Every structure is written in structure tokens, then in C-alpha cells.
Amino acid sequence: MDEKTDKGNPIDTELVESLSLRKGYVRRPRLSWYYAPSFLLLWLALFYAIVIPLYYRLPDRLTISEEAHRPGEFVAERAQQYLYTYDRIGPKVTGSYANEVTTVEFLVDETEKIRAEMRSDLYDLELDVQSPTGGYVFNDMVNMYQGIHNVIVKLSSKSSQSESYLLLNSHFDSKPGSPGSGDDGTMVVVMMEVLRQMSISPIPFEHPIVFLFNGAEENPLQASHGFITQHKWAEKCKAFINLEVGGSGGRDLLFQSGPNNPWLMKYYREHAKHPFATTMAEEIFQSGVLPSDSDFRIFRDYGNIAGLDIAQIENGYVYHTAFDTYENVPGRSIQNSGNNVLALVRAYSNASELYNTESDDSHAVFFDFLGLFFVYYTETTGIVVNCVIGVLSLVLVGCSLWRMSRQSEEASLPQISIWFLSILGLHVVGFLLCICLPLLMAVLFDAGDRSLTYFTSNWLVFGLYVCPAIIGLVLPLTLYYTLLPSEKLSHAYQLQLSLHAHLVVQALLALILTAMGLRSQYLCLISMIFYGGALLINLVSTLHDRGYYWVPIVMFLQVLPFSYFCYLFYMFLVIFIPVLGRNGYSTNPDLIVGLLCGVCVFFALGFAAQLINMFRWPKLILLGLGVMTFIFSMIAVSEVGFPYRAKTNVMRANCLHTRRIFYEHDGSVSRSDSGYYFNYQDRRAFAPLEDSALDLTGLEPVANHCDDYVMCGIPCFYYSWCKWRQWDGWLPRESEVILPGELTLDFLGYTVLESGTVARYEFDLAGPPHMNLFIQPVGSAKVDNWSFVRKMLDEPEEFQPPYQIFHSYGTDNTSLKFFIDMEKPDGIFETPTLELAAVGHWVSFEYERDAEAKDFVAAFPDFVHVMEWPSIFKRYIF
């Protein structure tokens, strides 16, 4: 406050300040509005100065020439040599020669080289190539496999008597058209180098280690099921580490753990070289929001063992595309994963807990803090800490309100409490607006067919979603302070009340999330600890009562939580934005990005954003943010906002060139045609192709025929394709699709069983390595039994017709013999009883595509990655 004079006599400024605190009507002026941009840019600068460097920090690559000077360390260069050979094999689809023979031989050969180099005086190495056959229910389909392959290596110390094994898993198969060097070739070669390092280590380990290189994960999750349910070493596996890649490169994220067995997290905290993990990722992944799954699920559900699920998550744009190549896998990322996995394998293979892995029915709360250190505690501990910190936060707020009433003669504690409740209510409105305004932006862009504008230009999310979230969070209290200012309480005190309101909301949210059993409430805990600490310091030091002098303490202690929350939600955006390019047509992807940005602003800027009201003309500041949103919106609807780029940020299209034959009950053919079946991968469907050279004349929704034929008459591949089939497209083609092979479904007849109301229909199916059966009862008939896994029939409330049977094989192409028992109340089976479709997929590029299909696929623009193959759909009525 500037000195002023009264009749020429100077006034003591400290006396004025003291009087202002006691009287309540002399106020410190707000800061000038033009300081506000600097205030906002400060947080942006912190994001780029702290969050981005720490997020992308990776270790230097260790070369073979350096190995002699750094023995026992993971050598990324050697792993890259493995990866180069793996990459040059090409796509490795289950059932292809490349996957079932060439890659298996590669893994066996490299293992034998390691055996030759191994310390044979200390270790035993056993190699087994498994070819399992089996089946289980996976989501909405029966998932059957036959003669697929696993390459399994067991390394054990000669001195060990342990019967408890550690399992390490990755998969060597890939999606059609993709070499799979990221997913999951990177982890295959990481495992290979870890195997080599463990086999030459001069220090033996306690527990045998099983290295499972599984050959059918993309099918999905078949080979891991074949191992854990059938292999001779499976029963002795007591813990596992599953290694995946959700893109190509980056740090490896621990995104699932357990179930229960928190000791796994204790070892991760103590031994992981580069920790990167969060409970929130585990809860999001297990919620099913992401269109992915991993072998972790199989080991947990069918092996009843606990473990860790770890995946590289960077550059998800190349995931499952032709661009997932050796050249796109950074050596430093391989080093990062190798350092972590090697350290964890050494720790777990010597863990005493592996002798007794009985579940203690306790989950873990875990997260890394900016990659600098790892925090872990049990769920029970978390409940106690949340309650204690939540209560202490409310106590601190109460102390602050009491202090304000003591320092202000014109405002009593009840009055201040009423004002605080009003501010708290408005802050709750602000919280809702913080979430809803970004969601509104998402709805508006989707309504204008402009979703995914940030897909390549990620920076657009700042203006499209972050700025509206900040506006929503601050606006209610800005209007309150502007339109209904309190004359009895200083503005500095009122501003503190808005921050206290955010603390109370965080405390209540923590208690609610704790009661719901969600471990992600630790986010609220971090917020409460840092602001509660700042409030305590200000109360003890009396800065609380000296105008705005409390602000620097609050801002200083907000740097770390701001950095962490930005780091966390930036990670989720890195994961989700590429995923939304393959999340299907049925949902608006912008809602997910808007929600993430809104929640990020709430946690990262929940306290700091309220300080906008410390400046003069805060409405002008919010207007500036609104102008920023408008400018970014204009950019988003320009060419900059076009989502796709060739080779780097591609549009995905699944295209099956399909031959269809529909047989009626009397054996006649009612329809025979050919066309292209499109499984749309993102919200824009084929709208971006309207101005391309691709001829889509006649394209119609699959939904037009869903009432006419089982599974809408289309050869949907997996459960996910079939689940959302009504959103897919069909483009008729005049010429008949030329298929590279045959699919035969032989009807062997039916037999009426003793009850008289049930008949057994028997069949023999033969065809390509990937086949489907779609089963739909006709009229009053229902499926009573079949030769497949019965779970779907035993749980009718969860599984309804049409039923999907997915069948794939590796090198064993023996035909599939099966039966279906149909029940009809009238016992008349001469009339239509069962509608059955047999589908064949020639997925691998080892099968020839016809010339017209090749030309059609080649006509797609260069920003489109097409996953395509020939297929046949045969519909029968029995």
C-alpha cells in the first residue's frame, strides 16, 4: 500500500494495514489485469519445463562394445539385432507359415545360441515347443484354437530346489499386414536378452524362470490359455510378468497388478529402475473403456496367479498397422524396458514370497511421481490415510474461518460460515461446468461431423477443452465476487474461501471414492496434502491474515501437484488419442478427451485457477480464454484439424472382400452375391473418403439386413466386430470375389433324442485358419446343448443368440466336428429349427487376393491403412 498524507503528515502504513485487518473495510487492491497472462503462462511454462522433460526421459542405449565394462546390464543393441531379424520375417498372423514355422524357428535358434553361451556349471535350460488345442469363452464368443504354438524356455539354477516358478510372457504373433515390431516384437527381444543375461550371471537365483513366447495373442489370447491350462510347467508358476506394447516405443507403464498380493508392488518399488505406474490406469483398463485386452487376464482368471501387466504406450498411431516396424522402435525405449524387466526378474526370482503366494485379499494403491520415485501402500492403509487427511482438511478450513472472524470485527463466524457455504455451492457448480463445458464442445464438434480434430494436431486440445474447463471452473465465483461482493470481508479472505471450497470438495470426493472402493482417490489425497500444508503454514506464520501474502506459499506448494496431475493426464491423452482412431463408430471419441481435460483441470488447476480472481477485471481474463477457444475452434475446422496423416497418423479401415451364399431350408440358394464388408474403426467412418478416387457408390448400412439374416449377413471377425455390427457398411460388387481356398460345412444329419423335444444336429467344418460359426435358433426353438464350451448356454441372462464361435488353427488343419442340440416344444424338426452361418477368413498375405480387390484397396488415399483379406459367408437353415 502506498503512503498517503493527511494535512501534510505521513500516515504509518503498517498501522493502516493493522486497522484494515481489524475493521474489515480497508482493502488491499487487486493486482492489475495485465499481470494475469503472465500468471497463466507461468503454469504453461511449468508444464513444458518440468512435465514434458520428465515424461519423455529415457536411459541411454547400452551397446555391445560397452558390455565388457558394464557386466550384468541389459544390452539394447543386442536386443535390436534380434528385433531386426524378427521384423524382416514380416507379418506373423496365427496360422501363417511365417508365424507357425519361421518365427518359431527363429526363437528356437536364438535360444540354442544362448544355451551355448550359458554358464552350464550354474544353470539348466529346457526348451519346449507346445502345440495346444482348447477353447474358452472370451467376452461374447466361444474362442477355440487348434494346433497353435508356444515356444517355452525354463531356466533354473542347478543349486535350487524350488518348485515355485516365475513366468515371463510376451507374444510373437501380429495383426494382419503388420510386422509387429512394436506389438509385441519389442518385448519378445527384451525377454530374449533377459534370458541371456540371467543365463550368464555369476550369481544363481532361487526360483526357476519360465519364458513364454506365445504365438496366438492377437487371436485373441489363445496361446496363453493353452499354456496356463495345459502345459506341464504351468501349475508351478506362482507369479508372472506380462509384457505388452500398445504402440511403438516410450516408457513401459505398469497398468495392472495383482490380484491382491501387494508384495509384488513392494518389489516393484524397490527394484524397478525406471518406475512408471498408476492405479488409475489399472482401474480404467479393467473398466473396459479401452478396446484392448492382454494375457494378464488369462493368467489371472485361468491360472489363478498374480502378476504385473507392463506395456510400452508411446506412438499408438502405428499399433496394428504396417508402420509398426523396426525403424519406429527407439533403442532407448528398449533399454528402458530391458532395465526394468531384468531388475524385476532378478528380484522376483529370489523372492521368498514366491514360496507362499496365498492371497491376502488386499489391493494396492500405487503411482510413480514424475518418474522420480514410486509410491505404494495397501488399500487398507489408503482408506485410513484418506479419512485422516480428509478430516484434518476440514479442521484446517474450520480454523481458517475462525481466524477470519477473529481478525474481522464486522464479520462473525456464523456470517463467514454462511458466505463459505455459498461459495462452496458455487464452486460445486464450477466443478460441474469444468466437466460439462469440454463435453459440450465435444458434442458440438461431433454434431458438425468434426470429431477427432486433435488426432494429429494434439495441441488443439488446449484451446478446445482445457480453456473451456478453466472458464467453467472459475466463472461462478468470478460472477459472485463481481456482482455480490462482501463489504464486511476483505477480498483476500474471500479468495481464500474459494480455495478452501476446493479443499472441501476434494475431501468429500476422496471419501465418496473411498466408499465406492476406487483406489484412484489418491489423486484427492495429493491435492489435500499440498494445499492443506500451505494452509497450515499460512495459519502458523500469520501470512493467512496479511492480504495476499498467503498466495506465494499456495502457489509454491501447488507446483508439485500441478506437475504430477499434468504428467498423469498427459499420459492418458498419449494413450487415448491414438486409441480413439480405432474405437469404432458408435461412440463420440471427443467425449473421452473432453472428460480427461476437464478432470485434469479440476485436479491440476483447481486451486491455482481461482487466483484469477486476484486480478482486476477477471471477467476480461475469462473472456480472453473464451476468445482462445474460438480461435482454436476455427483452426480445428480448417485443414489443420483434418485428423489423418500418411504413415504417421493413419485412418484405419477394415475391409473384407466377401463372397456370400444364402441357402434356404430346402437347400435352394436364395441369394448369392459379392461385395466389400467395412468394419468402421472411428467416428468419422468413411466420410473423409468422399472426395477421394475410391468409388463407394452403393455403400449401405449393414443394419438394413439385420432382421433378415443371422449376424446381419456379414462375416464379422471378432466379438467386438459382431457386437457393433449394425454400425458397419456393405458395398456390393458386380463381379464375384475369387477366393483363395474352400470353406465346407457338411451337415451329417440330425437325431431326435429320447425326450422327443430335442434333436442333435451334427456337422463337419473345414476351411482356412480363421473361421466363425454364427448360431441362431428359429422361432420357438432354443439351443439346449452343444459340443463347445457350455458357459454361454448356462448363463442365458448374460449371453443371447446369435451365438458366435471363433475357431482358429496353427499347423493342425483337421476339420472341426461339432454338434448342436436344438429343443422345440412341439418336437417337430422337419420345419426350420436352426439358422447357422459358416464363415471363412483367409487373413494372411500368404493367400492371394483377386485383381479387382487389389485395385479397390489400392484406391484408398495414402492416409488410410487398410486391414483386408478375402472371406466367405455361407448361411444355412436346418
Side-chain angles (χ1 to χ4, degrees):
M1 183 177 291
D2 296 330
E3 284 191 358
K4 297 187 186 252
T5 59
D6 181 18
K7 297 181 181 181
N9 296 322
I11 299 176
D12 190 320
T13 57
E14 291 187 4
L15 177 60
V16 171
E17 181 178 327
S18 175
L19 287 172
S20 71
L21 291 173
R22 299 297 298 173
K23 298 293 186 182
Y25 53 81
V26 180
R27 314 292 180 222
R28 282 188 174 276
R30 300 191 194 186
L31 297 178
S32 296
W33 67 269
Y34 47 76
Y35 289 113
S38 299
F39 170 77
L40 294 175
L41 288 173
L42 169 65
W43 300 103
L44 186 62
L46 289 173
F47 174 76
Y48 282 103
I50 298 176
V51 176
I52 295 300
L54 289 177
Y55 182 85
Y56 287 105
R57 186 177 60 169
L58 290 168
D60 292 330
R61 187 186 68 134
L62 185 64
T63 64
I64 294 174
S65 62
E66 297 173 307
E67 183 177 15
H69 306 290
R70 298 168 66 177
E73 294 190 34
F74 184 92
V75 183
E77 185 182 15
R78 181 173 287 103
Q80 285 182 292
Q81 291 177 350
Y82 297 143
L83 185 61
Y84 182 84
T85 304
Y86 173 94
D87 179 88
R88 292 312 181 259
I89 295 173
K92 307 162 189 68
V93 179
T94 300
S96 67
Y97 187 88
N99 190 68
E100 309 303 331
V101 179
T102 309
T103 308
V104 170
E105 289 177 350
F106 159 71
L107 294 170
V108 170
D109 289 346
E110 294 301 333
T111 301
E112 291 300 339
K113 292 176 185 177
I114 291 172
R115 188 200 298 272
E117 189 182 353
M118 179 184 69
R119 287 283 303 269
S120 57
D121 58 324
L122 296 178
Y123 305 108
D124 289 320
L125 187 150
E126 298 178 60
L127 172 63
D128 184 38
V129 178
Q130 182 196 22
S131 184
T133 295
Y136 66 101
V137 173
F138 180 77
N139 290 327
D140 295 326
M141 72 180 188
V142 175
N143 190 16
M144 301 177 64
Y145 53 90
Q146 178 177 296
I148 56 177
H149 288 95
N150 288 320
V151 177
I152 311 165
V153 182
K154 186 179 79 168
L155 183 68
S156 55
S157 301
K158 289 181 179 292
S159 59
S160 173
Q161 301 298 317
S162 173
E163 294 294 312
S164 297
Y165 298 173
L166 171 67
L167 173 64
L168 200 60
N169 175 73
S170 65
H171 68 90
F172 60 81
D173 65 316
S174 71
K175 282 289 188 179
S178 175
S181 292
D183 178 29
D184 196 23
T186 295
M187 291 308 187
V188 167
V189 301
V190 164
M191 276 177 51
M192 193 64 72
E193 176 61 9
V194 168
L195 171 61
R196 194 187 74 86
Q197 288 292 339
M198 295 300 292
S199 70
I200 63 175
S201 172
I203 304 174
F205 45 87
E206 180 65 21
H207 307 291
I209 308 167
V210 174
F211 294 80
L212 170 59
F213 301 92
N214 87 65
E217 189 269 354
E218 302 289 6
N219 245 33
L221 315 184
Q222 293 176 341
S224 56
H225 183 270
F227 169 80
I228 205 65
T229 59
Q230 300 176 39
H231 198 270
K232 59 185 177 182
W233 294 331
E235 288 186 3
K236 295 181 180 180
C237 293
K238 303 301 181 183
F240 69 90
I241 303 174
N242 184 56
L243 300 174
E244 263 289 359
V245 174
S248 184
R251 298 159 66 197
D252 41 287
L253 173 70
L254 170 59
F255 65 100
Q256 288 192 97
S257 68
N260 307 322
N261 290 279
W263 68 271
L264 292 166
M265 300 309 303
K266 180 183 74 173
Y267 276 75
Y268 183 89
R269 178 185 63 190
E270 294 172 353
H271 298 282
K273 300 293 185 182
H274 316 290
F276 188 34
T278 170
T279 294
M280 190 174 179
E282 176 177 273
E283 292 185 329
I284 288 177
F285 187 84
Q286 293 181 353
S287 72
V289 173
L290 287 170
S292 300
D293 216 323
S294 78
D295 290 319
F296 178 96
R297 168 179 177 171
I298 300 299
F299 299 136
R300 178 195 65 197
D301 294 350
Y302 293 93
N304 196 31
I305 55 176
L308 306 180
D309 210 357
I310 298 174
Q312 290 184 359
I313 59 171
E314 194 67 26
N315 196 15
Y317 297 105
V318 303
Y319 178 74
H320 290 177
T321 72
F323 310 109
D324 184 9
T325 61
Y326 170 84
E327 289 74 18
N328 282 326
V329 180
R332 295 177 66 191
S333 293
I334 295 176
Q335 187 70 52
N336 188 89
S337 297
N339 289 349
N340 275 339
V341 175
L342 181 57
L344 291 173
V345 167
R346 283 177 172 150
Y348 290 133
S349 63
N350 287 291
S352 59
E353 289 86 350
L354 216 59
Y355 283 113
N356 182 13
T357 56
E358 290 296 322
S359 172
D360 59 4
D361 296 323
S362 177
H363 290 282
V365 178
F366 57 89
F367 59 94
D368 75 290
F369 196 85
L370 302 174
L372 301 175
F373 57 88
F374 187 74
V375 178
Y376 143 80
Y377 50 88
T378 65
E379 185 177 21
T380 303
T381 301
I383 292 173
V384 174
V385 172
N386 291 336
C387 293
V388 170
I389 298 298
V391 171
L392 287 177
S393 298
L394 298 178
V395 170
L396 284 172
V397 170
C399 291
S400 176
L401 300 185
W402 175 81
R403 185 78 160 265
M404 291 178 187
S405 69
R406 297 280 294 177
Q407 296 294 328
S408 179
E409 292 183 351
E410 295 188 15
S412 64
L413 181 59
Q415 287 178 309
I416 294 175
S417 299
I418 292 173
W419 293 332
F420 175 68
L421 291 176
S422 299
I423 289 173
L424 177 61
L426 289 171
H427 185 66
V428 171
V429 174
F431 164 57
L432 296 176
L433 288 176
C434 177
I435 304 299
C436 292
L437 288 185
L439 295 181
L440 177 61
M441 291 292 293
V443 171
L444 292 175
F445 269 76
D446 184 63
D449 294 325
R450 294 287 181 172
S451 59
L452 292 171
T453 55
Y454 47 79
F455 189 68
T456 293
S457 304
N458 300 160
W459 48 271
L460 286 173
V461 301
F462 175 76
L464 296 180
Y465 304 115
V466 173
C467 287
I470 296 173
I471 293 171
L473 186 64
V474 180
L475 182 61
L477 287 175
T478 297
L479 295 176
Y480 174 78
Y481 294 140
T482 303
L483 303 176
L484 297 172
S486 172
E487 296 297 330
K488 297 182 179 181
L489 199 64
S490 70
H491 184 265
Y493 274 160
Q494 293 182 60
L495 196 57
Q496 284 196 67
L497 291 180
S498 67
L499 273 67
H500 295 353
H502 188 69
L503 179 63
V504 171
V505 170
Q506 292 279 13
L508 295 176
L509 187 59
L511 296 175
I512 292 171
L513 294 177
T514 300
M516 293 173 62
L518 295 176
R519 289 164 286 146
S520 296
Q521 32 70 16
Y522 81 87
L523 303 182
C524 302
L525 184 63
I526 292 174
S527 289
M528 291 188 293
I529 288 174
F530 280 94
Y531 180 73
L535 179 55
L536 182 61
I537 292 172
N538 284 323
L539 284 170
V540 172
S541 65
T542 72
L543 293 174
H544 176 274
D545 307 311
R546 299 180 60 190
Y548 296 106
Y549 282 109
W550 54 269
V551 172
I553 299 296
V554 170
M555 287 185 60
F556 179 75
L557 287 183
Q558 281 301 298
V559 170
L560 286 180
F562 168 81
S563 299
Y564 175 72
F565 292 133
C566 288
Y567 169 89
L568 176 69
F569 286 96
Y570 181 78
M571 176 200 73
F572 284 123
L573 289 175
V574 166
I575 295 172
F576 270 97
I577 288 178
V579 165
L580 296 176
R582 55 185 175 88
N583 199 42
Y585 174 79
S586 61
T587 56
N588 178 3
D590 294 11
L591 292 174
I592 295 176
V593 174
L595 179 63
L596 285 173
C597 291
V599 175
C600 177
V601 167
F602 174 74
F603 281 105
L605 292 172
F607 294 106
Q610 298 300 333
L611 297 179
I612 289 175
N613 290 309
M614 181 174 59
F615 302 94
R616 293 176 181 171
W617 301 347
K619 289 187 291 186
L620 183 63
I621 299 168
L622 297 184
L623 179 62
L625 292 174
V627 171
M628 187 76 71
T629 297
F630 176 78
I631 293 172
F632 273 67
S633 298
M634 294 300 99
I635 296 173
V637 298
S638 71
E639 286 298 316
V640 176
F642 184 72
Y644 316 110
R645 303 291 186 273
K647 297 184 180 179
T648 57
N649 305 73
V650 295
M651 171 184 170
R652 298 165 187 260
N654 292 343
C655 172
L656 306 191
H657 13 115
T658 303
R659 175 95 166 87
R660 302 193 301 180
I661 306 173
F662 297 86
Y663 296 97
E664 297 303 322
H665 185 249
D666 60 4
S668 63
V669 175
S670 60
R671 182 171 184 173
S672 177
D673 63 4
S674 291
Y676 299 102
Y677 160 53
F678 301 114
N679 174 241
Y680 300 133
Q681 290 292 287
D682 69 40
R683 183 63 166 178
R684 292 200 172 196
F686 276 7
L689 307 180
E690 291 176 355
D691 297 327
S692 70
L694 189 67
D695 184 5
L696 296 175
T697 305
L699 180 63
E700 62 176 339
V702 162
N704 291 350
H705 301 286
C706 287
D707 293 334
D708 301 326
Y709 308 114
V710 60
M711 210 62 82
C712 303
I714 47 97
C716 50
F717 192 50
Y718 288 153
Y719 71 94
S720 55
W721 294 35
C722 296
K723 183 176 183 180
W724 306 111
R725 60 190 179 276
Q726 68 270 26
W727 304 106
D728 293 341
W730 173 260
L731 178 64
R733 152 176 161 171
E734 290 186 6
S735 64
E736 182 178 303
V737 169
I738 301 173
L739 299 171
E742 294 291 334
L743 173 77
T744 60
L745 178 68
D746 291 331
F747 177 45
L748 306 180
Y750 73 87
T751 305
V752 179
L753 303 184
E754 292 183 4
S755 65
T757 59
V758 176
R760 172 162 296 180
Y761 291 74
E762 298 185 77
F763 304 91
D764 192 337
L765 176 68
H770 297 82
M771 295 180 284
N772 298 99
L773 290 169
F774 303 140
I775 301 170
Q776 175 71 60
V778 176
S780 61
K782 69 175 185 177
V783 179
D784 179 69
N785 194 14
W786 58 26
S787 54
F788 313 118
V789 180
R790 272 199 56 90
K791 180 180 178 181
M792 297 180 78
L793 300 181
D794 293 336
E795 300 177 12
E797 67 284 351
E798 183 176 353
F799 303 102
Q800 294 291 324
Y803 302 112
Q804 181 184 8
I805 314 296
F806 180 77
H807 176 70
S808 67
Y809 61 81
T811 52
D812 179 4
N813 61 359
T814 305
S815 64
L816 174 66
K817 292 181 171 57
F818 65 95
F819 68 82
I820 303 173
D821 290 350
M822 299 300 299
E823 180 181 3
K824 290 185 75 174
D826 58 12
I828 301 174
F829 297 99
E830 291 78 14
T831 57
T833 304
L834 169 65
E835 185 178 9
L836 180 65
V839 179
H841 302 273
W842 288 268
V843 177
S844 169
F845 278 106
E846 295 167 5
Y847 297 106
E848 185 69 18
R849 279 69 167 151
D850 69 32
E852 185 174 341
K854 289 180 180 178
D855 292 341
F856 181 79
V857 171
F860 278 84
D862 61 357
F863 61 79
V864 183
H865 175 265
V866 184
M867 187 167 70
E868 52 80 28
W869 61 78
S871 67
I872 186 169
F873 181 98
K874 293 183 176 182
R875 194 285 306 265
Y876 302 86
I877 296 180
F878 300 101

